[in-house]
Amino acid sequence: MTSSSDRSPVVDVQAPRTYEVRTYGCQMNVHDSERLSGLLEDAGYVRAPEGADGDADVVVFNTCAVRENADNRLYGNLGRLAPRKASRPGMQIAVGGCLAQKDRDTIVKKAPWVDVVFGTHNIGKLPVLLERARVQEEAQVEIAESLEAFPSTLPTRRESAYAAWVSISVGCNNTCTFCIVPALRGKEKDRRTGDILAEIEALVAEGVSEITLLGQNVNAYGSDIGDREAFSKLLRACGTIEGLERVRFTSPHPRDFTDDVIAAMAETPNVMPQLHMPMQSGSDTVLKAMRRSYRQERYLGIIEKVRAAIPHAAITTDIIVGFPGETEEDFEQTMHAVREARFTQAFTFQYSKRPGTPAATMENQVPKEVVQARYERLVALQEEISWDENKKQVGRTLDLMVAEGEGRKDGATHRLSGRAPDNRLVHFTKPDQDVRPGDVVTVEITYAAPHHLLAEGPVLGVRRTRAGDAWEKRNAAEAAKPAGVLLGLPRIGVPEPLPAATGGCAAH
């Protein structure tokens, strides 16, 4: 008989706690979610499998407050998780982002099963707030009124091995009457140029070959130090980083779009011939009511200058239809501006009230049926222009960066997908040799649709890249990860800041 002293000790072993992050809103929120994932993994959590749909130990909602029905969407999703949480001991739900910053205590009053509410300024506190909620067995609501630390110091789990977001500023100094973002993200705060470039160089060393500079008003960069040319200088500095093949940025504001930025775009080879610049309306009257600091002539003048300097530039925009007080004549001015600008693509939105914004209480709200009819006319016009502009690409030879997950039908059509330098989506014939996301292929465009291009002939060339190597290495590492176990609870707390190493609502 074996004595008790001979038995192996029983160890309290538990599998790692899993997490899921659900993201709503702009590119800033997408990048913030990469940081939330990095924070949780640094604290010992493991990402739940794809399609977990709430079947995780921790579910985080990173919310947006831009649309009128944002709160309805959030509470609907929280309601669907309530019975699952009740039947799963230890499950936690956290709500962060712009809606959390705005609604604060309201969230736990309407959904008392929520464990943590945190704001846009203190995302780094999420792990410690989850632990505190678990220990104290009560909801933790912590909303910072100002930025505690630039988010770039936080761990990040990037969604892509070959492309990365890099924040150059947070917050916004504009006062657009339809937008609540400045109230939720605060005044603009710029990062040091040296920190930005150091982060980009570190990303390139990891295999990243494309970066997108992010800011709520990205080309206002430098306002902190009074240097109006700081953004163009930053673009040119990106051009000196060896191994960085593609540089993009979003979203600029026409007010701050100066000639030196256009020159930097045209003269810096790795800055891509692409510009997303929100117009919002073509009517001077509506632009004034929106408190946008430019008028149609100024906007179209910028487009003309960009096209003169960069003939193949693809220009996209945002447009709001049905802003309070918009007349038929105002709307026709928008249609005129769209015809003149000939955007590659326009992201069109029907105006919806943003609670807490001046526009929400303006008189002469446009009837829903009128907004819908105008919206449909604008979409039809833009579809026609997009198709015509894409047809001009037929016969061109383009270098594509192979993308991951951008062609829903690629499997059935035996194609792959990639992005042209101007960011157009291209589906191309799968070559005989192995091609990985991040690699570059050369193709000839054979067909154009309004929202994509086709290259139906054989691929003309394949260039295997360090970015493709990085994608391959990451996939191999993910596949090799053991299920693993942890002793006791995962390590919780605010991580030590990383060396300075990355926001913008597209509707600005």
Side-chain angles (χ1 to χ4, degrees):
M1 176 180 288
T2 305
S3 68
S4 59
S5 61
D6 295 327
R7 297 178 188 147
S8 298
V10 176
V11 180
D12 180 19
V13 175
Q14 77 170 38
R17 284 168 59 80
T18 58
Y19 77 89
E20 176 189 354
V21 179
R22 299 186 185 184
T23 309
Y24 306 96
C26 65
Q27 297 96 332
M28 174 68 87
N29 274 21
V30 172
H31 191 30
D32 281 352
S33 288
E34 291 186 330
R35 295 188 183 108
L36 292 171
S37 296
L39 282 160
L40 290 170
E41 293 191 5
D42 199 59
Y45 293 84
V46 175
R47 192 174 192 172
E50 290 293 327
D53 193 25
D55 190 21
D57 297 308
V58 173
V59 179
V60 183
F61 291 89
N62 189 10
T63 63
C64 174
V66 168
R67 310 300 290 173
E68 182 181 15
N69 64 352
D71 53 350
N72 294 334
R73 186 177 186 185
L74 171 65
Y75 295 122
N77 284 321
L78 290 175
R80 282 188 285 275
L81 281 185
R84 184 170 299 179
K85 187 174 191 293
S87 65
R88 182 170 180 160
M91 180 181 178
Q92 292 182 296
I93 298 173
V95 179
C98 288
L99 193 63
Q101 188 81 18
K102 181 173 77 74
D103 283 1
R104 306 179 180 229
D105 295 327
T106 305
I107 293 174
V108 292
K109 288 177 182 176
K110 290 187 175 182
W113 54 93
V114 169
D115 300 278
V116 171
V117 179
F118 62 101
T120 58
H121 298 310
N122 62 329
I123 62 176
K125 289 289 185 67
L126 176 60
V128 74
L129 290 173
L130 287 168
E131 175 68 354
R132 193 185 300 162
R134 186 190 67 81
V135 172
Q136 298 181 5
E137 297 184 341
E138 64 179 13
Q140 302 295 310
V141 179
E142 189 167 310
I143 306 290
E145 296 300 331
S146 60
L147 198 65
E148 294 182 344
F150 205 94
S152 303
T153 61
L154 301 175
T156 302
R157 185 196 193 280
R158 292 186 292 105
E159 291 300 312
S160 170
Y162 54 90
W165 309 101
V166 176
S167 287
I168 69 170
S169 64
V170 293
C172 182
N173 293 339
N174 294 321
T175 57
C176 303
T177 55
F178 57 80
C179 184
I180 198 170
V181 168
L184 302 179
R185 290 203 177 258
K187 292 292 185 181
E188 182 176 322
K189 183 175 178 59
D190 295 337
R191 288 178 71 189
R192 290 181 60 254
T193 303
D195 292 344
I196 296 168
L197 295 173
E199 180 182 358
I200 295 171
E201 288 171 350
L203 289 168
V204 171
E206 293 174 8
V208 168
S209 60
E210 175 179 307
I211 60 104
T212 301
L213 303 174
L214 278 185
Q216 244 103 29
N217 183 6
V218 70
N219 59 322
Y221 177 73
S223 61
D224 273 1
I225 58 176
D227 184 355
R228 286 181 55 83
E229 295 189 354
F231 185 63
S232 63
K233 293 174 183 175
L234 178 60
L235 291 178
R236 292 183 186 277
C238 287
T240 67
I241 298 177
E242 188 176 352
L244 179 59
E245 297 192 15
R246 295 186 174 193
V247 178
R248 306 186 191 277
F249 58 88
T250 195
S251 288
H253 192 293
R255 182 195 68 188
D256 302 297
F257 208 89
T258 49
D259 290 349
D260 60 292
V261 173
I262 297 173
M265 291 176 65
E267 296 165 10
T268 310
N270 63 355
V271 175
M272 294 295 95
Q274 171 214 355
L275 173 63
H276 179 80
M277 187 163 64
M279 180 176 74
Q280 306 303 4
S281 175
S283 162
D284 289 353
T285 302
V286 172
L287 289 170
K288 183 178 180 180
M290 289 178 167
R291 216 176 284 160
R292 302 284 285 180
S293 53
Y294 56 89
R295 299 297 178 257
Q296 183 192 111
E297 183 178 5
R298 157 76 172 153
Y299 185 93
L300 293 177
I302 294 172
I303 300 299
E304 185 177 353
K305 287 181 178 180
V306 170
R307 290 226 163 93
I310 315 167
H312 288 300
I315 301 174
T316 58
T317 195
D318 298 323
I319 300 173
I320 297 173
V321 179
F323 187 81
E326 181 188 76
T327 65
E328 182 62 24
E329 182 181 357
D330 291 326
F331 178 68
E332 283 298 335
Q333 283 297 307
T334 295
M335 296 285 275
H336 168 74
V338 169
R339 292 187 188 99
E340 290 293 310
R342 299 197 64 79
F343 300 112
T344 304
Q345 190 174 3
F347 300 91
T348 53
F349 306 90
Q350 298 185 41
Y351 171 75
S352 64
K353 293 181 181 179
R354 279 78 157 179
T357 63
T361 57
M362 286 181 176
E363 297 179 353
N364 300 320
Q365 299 283 327
V366 183
K368 171 66 177 174
E369 61 274 14
V370 175
V371 178
Q372 181 68 35
R374 289 176 183 169
Y375 175 80
E376 291 173 0
R377 286 162 57 196
L378 177 60
V379 168
L381 172 62
Q382 183 56 51
E383 286 279 301
E384 178 185 329
I385 293 172
S386 294
W387 201 355
D388 285 345
E389 291 301 307
N390 275 358
K391 287 175 182 175
K392 296 176 183 178
Q393 302 296 307
V394 174
R396 291 191 67 197
T397 299
L398 300 176
D399 289 334
L400 312 179
M401 182 175 289
V402 181
E404 183 174 28
E406 294 224 54
R408 294 191 304 273
K409 299 179 181 178
D410 282 352
T413 57
H414 302 291
R415 292 178 179 139
L416 296 176
S417 297
R419 290 282 174 175
D422 64 10
N423 210 37
R424 281 181 168 94
L425 178 63
V426 182
H427 305 302
F428 61 95
T429 302
K430 189 174 183 179
D432 293 334
Q433 66 191 101
D434 184 39
V435 176
R436 309 158 301 176
D439 287 340
V440 175
V441 299
T442 304
V443 301
E444 181 179 336
I445 304 303
T446 58
Y447 175 81
H451 302 292
H452 69 267
L453 302 170
L454 291 182
E456 300 165 298
V459 168
L460 303 178
V462 174
R463 177 165 62 85
R464 291 174 70 84
T465 65
R466 291 172 60 255
D469 294 342
W471 178 88
E472 193 169 51
K473 182 179 179 181
R474 173 191 270 198
N475 272 28
E478 292 286 340
K481 274 184 180 177
V485 294
L486 295 179
L487 299 181
L489 288 169
R491 180 171 62 83
I492 301 293
V494 181
E496 290 298 315
L498 296 177
T502 98
C505 282
H508 289 310

